[in-house]
PDB file of all heavy atoms in Angstrom:
ATOM      1  N   ILE A  85     -11.264   3.628  10.489  1.00 98.00           N
ATOM      2  CA  ILE A  85     -12.052   3.132   9.362  1.00 98.00           C
ATOM      3  C   ILE A  85     -11.878   4.108   8.203  1.00 98.00           C
ATOM      4  O   ILE A  85     -12.015   5.320   8.383  1.00 98.00           O
ATOM      5  CB  ILE A  85     -13.548   3.058   9.727  1.00 98.00           C
ATOM      6  CG1 ILE A  85     -13.770   1.970  10.775  1.00 98.00           C
ATOM      7  CG2 ILE A  85     -14.403   2.815   8.499  1.00 98.00           C
ATOM      8  CD1 ILE A  85     -15.155   2.014  11.372  1.00 98.00           C
ATOM      9  N   CYS A  86     -11.597   3.559   7.045  1.00 98.00           N
ATOM     10  CA  CYS A  86     -11.452   4.437   5.883  1.00 98.00           C
ATOM     11  C   CYS A  86     -12.820   4.764   5.304  1.00 98.00           C
ATOM     12  O   CYS A  86     -13.600   3.867   4.995  1.00 98.00           O
ATOM     13  CB  CYS A  86     -10.569   3.778   4.823  1.00 98.00           C
ATOM     14  SG  CYS A  86     -10.240   4.902   3.447  1.00 98.00           S
ATOM     15  N   VAL A  87     -13.092   6.025   5.152  1.00 98.00           N
ATOM     16  CA  VAL A  87     -14.390   6.472   4.626  1.00 98.00           C
ATOM     17  C   VAL A  87     -14.333   6.580   3.110  1.00 98.00           C
ATOM     18  O   VAL A  87     -15.230   6.128   2.401  1.00 98.00           O
ATOM     19  CB  VAL A  87     -14.792   7.814   5.261  1.00 98.00           C
ATOM     20  CG1 VAL A  87     -16.067   8.347   4.640  1.00 98.00           C
ATOM     21  CG2 VAL A  87     -14.946   7.650   6.768  1.00 98.00           C
ATOM     22  N   PHE A  88     -13.284   7.219   2.607  1.00 98.00           N
ATOM     23  CA  PHE A  88     -13.043   7.218   1.155  1.00 98.00           C
ATOM     24  C   PHE A  88     -11.561   7.439   0.919  1.00 98.00           C
ATOM     25  O   PHE A  88     -10.832   7.910   1.792  1.00 98.00           O
ATOM     26  CB  PHE A  88     -13.897   8.240   0.412  1.00 98.00           C
ATOM     27  CG  PHE A  88     -13.662   9.674   0.774  1.00 98.00           C
ATOM     28  CD1 PHE A  88     -12.538  10.362   0.307  1.00 98.00           C
ATOM     29  CD2 PHE A  88     -14.572  10.377   1.547  1.00 98.00           C
ATOM     30  CE1 PHE A  88     -12.320  11.698   0.612  1.00 98.00           C
ATOM     31  CE2 PHE A  88     -14.358  11.723   1.877  1.00 98.00           C
ATOM     32  CZ  PHE A  88     -13.237  12.380   1.409  1.00 98.00           C
ATOM     33  N   ARG A  89     -11.116   7.093  -0.272  1.00 98.00           N
ATOM     34  CA  ARG A  89      -9.720   7.314  -0.654  1.00 98.00           C
ATOM     35  C   ARG A  89      -9.638   7.426  -2.170  1.00 98.00           C
ATOM     36  O   ARG A  89     -10.496   6.937  -2.891  1.00 98.00           O
ATOM     37  CB  ARG A  89      -8.803   6.203  -0.126  1.00 98.00           C
ATOM     38  CG  ARG A  89      -9.243   4.798  -0.399  1.00 98.00           C
ATOM     39  CD  ARG A  89      -8.328   3.758   0.269  1.00 98.00           C
ATOM     40  NE  ARG A  89      -6.949   3.902  -0.186  1.00 98.00           N
ATOM     41  CZ  ARG A  89      -6.498   3.486  -1.380  1.00 98.00           C
ATOM     42  NH1 ARG A  89      -7.313   2.877  -2.237  1.00 98.00           N
ATOM     43  NH2 ARG A  89      -5.249   3.670  -1.731  1.00 98.00           N
ATOM     44  N   GLY A  90      -8.639   8.099  -2.616  1.00 97.00           N
ATOM     45  CA  GLY A  90      -8.409   8.199  -4.058  1.00 97.00           C
ATOM     46  C   GLY A  90      -9.331   9.151  -4.784  1.00 97.00           C
ATOM     47  O   GLY A  90      -9.418   9.123  -6.001  1.00 97.00           O
ATOM     48  N   MET A  91      -9.983  10.018  -4.045  1.00 98.00           N
ATOM     49  CA  MET A  91     -10.908  10.937  -4.697  1.00 98.00           C
ATOM     50  C   MET A  91     -10.191  12.227  -5.119  1.00 98.00           C
ATOM     51  O   MET A  91      -9.106  12.546  -4.645  1.00 98.00           O
ATOM     52  CB  MET A  91     -12.088  11.236  -3.778  1.00 98.00           C
ATOM     53  CG  MET A  91     -12.916   9.983  -3.475  1.00 98.00           C
ATOM     54  SD  MET A  91     -14.473  10.310  -2.605  1.00 98.00           S
ATOM     55  CE  MET A  91     -15.546  10.828  -3.968  1.00 98.00           C
ATOM     56  N   ASN A  92     -10.859  12.948  -5.998  1.00 98.00           N
ATOM     57  CA  ASN A  92     -10.348  14.214  -6.493  1.00 98.00           C
ATOM     58  C   ASN A  92     -10.188  15.189  -5.328  1.00 98.00           C
ATOM     59  O   ASN A  92     -11.169  15.549  -4.671  1.00 98.00           O
ATOM     60  CB  ASN A  92     -11.320  14.770  -7.537  1.00 98.00           C
ATOM     61  CG  ASN A  92     -10.837  16.059  -8.148  1.00 98.00           C
ATOM     62  OD1 ASN A  92     -10.115  16.842  -7.502  1.00 98.00           O
ATOM     63  ND2 ASN A  92     -11.227  16.305  -9.378  1.00 98.00           N
ATOM     64  N   GLU A  93      -8.961  15.651  -5.110  1.00 97.00           N
ATOM     65  CA  GLU A  93      -8.712  16.448  -3.914  1.00 97.00           C
ATOM     66  C   GLU A  93      -9.307  17.852  -3.990  1.00 97.00           C
ATOM     67  O   GLU A  93      -9.393  18.546  -2.982  1.00 97.00           O
ATOM     68  CB  GLU A  93      -7.203  16.550  -3.659  1.00 97.00           C
ATOM     69  CG  GLU A  93      -6.471  17.267  -4.777  1.00 97.00           C
ATOM     70  CD  GLU A  93      -4.945  17.137  -4.651  1.00 97.00           C
ATOM     71  OE1 GLU A  93      -4.487  16.420  -3.762  1.00 97.00           O
ATOM     72  OE2 GLU A  93      -4.244  17.756  -5.468  1.00 97.00           O
ATOM     73  N   ASN A  94      -9.733  18.228  -5.177  1.00 97.00           N
ATOM     74  CA  ASN A  94     -10.282  19.578  -5.343  1.00 97.00           C
ATOM     75  C   ASN A  94     -11.799  19.648  -5.223  1.00 97.00           C
ATOM     76  O   ASN A  94     -12.386  20.722  -5.260  1.00 97.00           O
ATOM     77  CB  ASN A  94      -9.850  20.148  -6.696  1.00 97.00           C
ATOM     78  CG  ASN A  94      -8.345  20.241  -6.790  1.00 97.00           C
ATOM     79  OD1 ASN A  94      -7.690  20.723  -5.866  1.00 97.00           O
ATOM     80  ND2 ASN A  94      -7.772  19.734  -7.887  1.00 97.00           N
ATOM     81  N   GLU A  95     -12.418  18.489  -5.172  1.00 98.00           N
ATOM     82  CA  GLU A  95     -13.872  18.458  -5.056  1.00 98.00           C
ATOM     83  C   GLU A  95     -14.283  18.362  -3.589  1.00 98.00           C
ATOM     84  O   GLU A  95     -13.648  17.650  -2.813  1.00 98.00           O
ATOM     85  CB  GLU A  95     -14.442  17.242  -5.800  1.00 98.00           C
ATOM     86  CG  GLU A  95     -14.300  17.303  -7.306  1.00 98.00           C
ATOM     87  CD  GLU A  95     -15.247  18.307  -7.935  1.00 98.00           C
ATOM     88  OE1 GLU A  95     -16.343  18.529  -7.365  1.00 98.00           O
ATOM     89  OE2 GLU A  95     -14.897  18.871  -8.995  1.00 98.00           O
ATOM     90  N   VAL A  96     -15.368  19.038  -3.250  1.00 98.00           N
ATOM     91  CA  VAL A  96     -15.902  18.951  -1.894  1.00 98.00           C
ATOM     92  C   VAL A  96     -16.906  17.795  -1.827  1.00 98.00           C
ATOM     93  O   VAL A  96     -17.822  17.724  -2.635  1.00 98.00           O
ATOM     94  CB  VAL A  96     -16.617  20.253  -1.489  1.00 98.00           C
ATOM     95  CG1 VAL A  96     -17.121  20.163  -0.049  1.00 98.00           C
ATOM     96  CG2 VAL A  96     -15.685  21.447  -1.673  1.00 98.00           C
ATOM     97  N   LYS A  97     -16.685  16.902  -0.898  1.00 98.00           N
ATOM     98  CA  LYS A  97     -17.602  15.787  -0.687  1.00 98.00           C
ATOM     99  C   LYS A  97     -18.397  16.029   0.586  1.00 98.00           C
ATOM    100  O   LYS A  97     -17.805  16.234   1.646  1.00 98.00           O
ATOM    101  CB  LYS A  97     -16.825  14.473  -0.530  1.00 98.00           C
ATOM    102  CG  LYS A  97     -16.499  13.744  -1.790  1.00 98.00           C
ATOM    103  CD  LYS A  97     -15.388  14.378  -2.600  1.00 98.00           C
ATOM    104  CE  LYS A  97     -14.035  14.303  -1.908  1.00 98.00           C
ATOM    105  NZ  LYS A  97     -12.955  14.868  -2.795  1.00 98.00           N
ATOM    106  N   ASN A  98     -19.722  15.980   0.495  1.00 98.00           N
ATOM    107  CA  ASN A  98     -20.513  16.001   1.710  1.00 98.00           C
ATOM    108  C   ASN A  98     -20.580  14.572   2.247  1.00 98.00           C
ATOM    109  O   ASN A  98     -21.036  13.661   1.574  1.00 98.00           O
ATOM    110  CB  ASN A  98     -21.925  16.534   1.433  1.00 98.00           C
ATOM    111  CG  ASN A  98     -22.768  16.515   2.684  1.00 98.00           C
ATOM    112  OD1 ASN A  98     -23.457  15.546   2.966  1.00 98.00           O
ATOM    113  ND2 ASN A  98     -22.710  17.586   3.459  1.00 98.00           N
ATOM    114  N   VAL A  99     -20.088  14.389   3.467  1.00 98.00           N
ATOM    115  CA  VAL A  99     -19.957  13.052   4.044  1.00 98.00           C
ATOM    116  C   VAL A  99     -20.709  12.958   5.363  1.00 98.00           C
ATOM    117  O   VAL A  99     -20.521  13.806   6.241  1.00 98.00           O
ATOM    118  CB  VAL A  99     -18.466  12.727   4.306  1.00 98.00           C
ATOM    119  CG1 VAL A  99     -18.321  11.313   4.864  1.00 98.00           C
ATOM    120  CG2 VAL A  99     -17.647  12.889   3.043  1.00 98.00           C
ATOM    121  N   CYS A 100     -21.561  11.941   5.471  1.00 98.00           N
ATOM    122  CA  CYS A 100     -22.201  11.677   6.759  1.00 98.00           C
ATOM    123  C   CYS A 100     -21.833  10.275   7.222  1.00 98.00           C
ATOM    124  O   CYS A 100     -21.938   9.308   6.463  1.00 98.00           O
ATOM    125  CB  CYS A 100     -23.727  11.762   6.644  1.00 98.00           C
ATOM    126  SG  CYS A 100     -24.321  13.427   6.328  1.00 98.00           S
ATOM    127  N   ILE A 101     -21.397  10.195   8.479  1.00 98.00           N
ATOM    128  CA  ILE A 101     -21.203   8.906   9.137  1.00 98.00           C
ATOM    129  C   ILE A 101     -22.406   8.721  10.043  1.00 98.00           C
ATOM    130  O   ILE A 101     -22.597   9.497  10.987  1.00 98.00           O
ATOM    131  CB  ILE A 101     -19.918   8.893   9.993  1.00 98.00           C
ATOM    132  CG1 ILE A 101     -18.731   9.465   9.209  1.00 98.00           C
ATOM    133  CG2 ILE A 101     -19.642   7.499  10.545  1.00 98.00           C
ATOM    134  CD1 ILE A 101     -18.348   8.680   7.987  1.00 98.00           C
ATOM    135  N   VAL A 102     -23.228   7.721   9.758  1.00 98.00           N
ATOM    136  CA  VAL A 102     -24.518   7.588  10.422  1.00 98.00           C
ATOM    137  C   VAL A 102     -24.576   6.288  11.228  1.00 98.00           C
ATOM    138  O   VAL A 102     -24.352   5.207  10.677  1.00 98.00           O
ATOM    139  CB  VAL A 102     -25.665   7.574   9.379  1.00 98.00           C
ATOM    140  CG1 VAL A 102     -27.017   7.531  10.087  1.00 98.00           C
ATOM    141  CG2 VAL A 102     -25.566   8.767   8.451  1.00 98.00           C
ATOM    142  N   ARG A 103     -24.856   6.398  12.499  1.00 98.00           N
ATOM    143  CA  ARG A 103     -25.119   5.197  13.296  1.00 98.00           C
ATOM    144  C   ARG A 103     -26.383   4.538  12.768  1.00 98.00           C
ATOM    145  O   ARG A 103     -27.417   5.190  12.617  1.00 98.00           O
ATOM    146  CB  ARG A 103     -25.273   5.578  14.770  1.00 98.00           C
ATOM    147  CG  ARG A 103     -25.469   4.367  15.675  1.00 98.00           C
ATOM    148  CD  ARG A 103     -25.700   4.732  17.140  1.00 98.00           C
ATOM    149  NE  ARG A 103     -26.216   3.580  17.829  1.00 98.00           N
ATOM    150  CZ  ARG A 103     -25.583   2.917  18.811  1.00 98.00           C
ATOM    151  NH1 ARG A 103     -24.429   3.365  19.250  1.00 98.00           N
ATOM    152  NH2 ARG A 103     -26.124   1.843  19.354  1.00 98.00           N
TER     153      ARG A 103
END
Side-chain angles (χ1 to χ4, degrees):
Chain A
I85 292 169
C86 186
V87 175
F88 63 76
R89 50 185 302 284
M91 297 189 81
N92 182 331
E93 63 191 5
N94 299 313
E95 292 287 330
V96 182
K97 273 74 67 176
N98 178 269
V99 182
C100 292
I101 313 297
V102 184
R103 183 183 165 115

